[in-house]
Amino acid sequence: MVAVIALILVAVMACYYLIRKPDGNLSARQKAGLKVIPTSLCALLALYGTLRGGGLSAGFLCMGLVVCALADWLLEFAFFKGMAAFALGHVLYCIGYLLAGPFMIRSVIVFAVLFGIICVIYSKLKDHLENAPMYLAYAAVLCCMASLAASRQSFLMIGGFLFVISDCMIGIGQATGKDSRLYGILILATYYAAQFLIALSTLS
């Protein structure tokens, strides 16, 4: 029941943010505040899962979600600081995944595939990206998170892959200037879905 309520709240607040985002009457801070709410709700769900008996692993996932909520805010005003905060969030996720169970060789294979794909994309876009090496360094941390998630329960595996898709779309958008309404919706839809699934995993 808690998960269903959380899903509804996250979905409603995410839709509300998407609707209000183009509103010229809202300040940048107000828009950033609305953007943070869905991720913060995911963090609250993870906190509930932690207190309910999720253990240390769930606690690190909860901390990762809190850091990602902060990163949501920073990304709107200082892009690379926001990227660094997201990287820290992924490190916390990685610790949580490692605490949840033994390391599996499958993670190495998944990392090699994901990072290899991203390196191909990076090679085509790096000349159009400011501080391009930072994107590649962030991608390595992101792929590490997703590859460790792939060795855990299905919620985490799907969430990890959705995070990779969302962030790759952001990078491509930064390089190509792609900024359509639909493109932005897809980025946020995959991002919020990823965060919700990560939070949901703390309840199991």
Side-chain angles (χ1 to χ4, degrees), residues 55-90:
L56 194 57
S57 172
F60 272 96
L61 297 185
C62 180
M63 287 189 287
L65 283 160
V66 171
V67 172
C68 285
L70 172 63
D72 279 336
W73 177 275
L74 288 173
L75 206 65
E76 297 301 305
F77 304 102
F79 184 83
F80 290 106
K81 288 182 180 179
M83 183 188 292
F86 269 116
L88 175 58
H90 292 317

Side-chain angles (χ1 to χ4, degrees), residues 39-181:
T39 311
S40 299
L41 290 170
C42 291
L44 287 174
L45 177 61
L47 177 61
Y48 172 78
T50 302
L51 297 176
R52 187 170 168 263
L56 194 57
S57 172
F60 272 96
L61 297 185
C62 180
M63 287 189 287
L65 283 160
V66 171
V67 172
C68 285
L70 172 63
D72 279 336
W73 177 275
L74 288 173
L75 206 65
E76 297 301 305
F77 304 102
F79 184 83
F80 290 106
K81 288 182 180 179
M83 183 188 292
F86 269 116
L88 175 58
H90 292 317
V91 170
L92 291 170
Y93 289 156
C94 287
I95 295 172
Y97 299 155
L98 290 170
L99 289 171
F103 179 81
M104 299 176 67
I105 192 64
R106 179 170 62 182
S107 293
V108 177
I109 298 170
V110 173
F111 176 84
V113 172
L114 287 178
F115 194 59
I117 293 171
I118 287 179
C119 283
V120 171
I121 297 173
Y122 173 80
S123 67
K124 298 180 182 300
L125 300 178
K126 62 181 180 179
D127 293 337
H128 305 285
L129 291 169
E130 179 187 358
N131 295 322
M134 290 188 64
Y135 286 86
L136 192 61
Y138 172 80
V141 179
L142 174 66
C143 289
C144 183
M145 180 278 294
S147 63
L148 290 173
S151 295
R152 299 296 173 250
Q153 56 178 281
S154 56
F155 286 149
L156 289 176
M157 179 176 67
I158 297 170
F161 288 149
L162 286 175
F163 224 129
V164 172
I165 292 170
S166 178
D167 281 356
C168 281
M169 291 178 70
I170 291 175
I172 292 170
Q174 290 285 321
T176 63
K178 191 175 183 62
D179 190 30
S180 69
R181 177 79 167 146

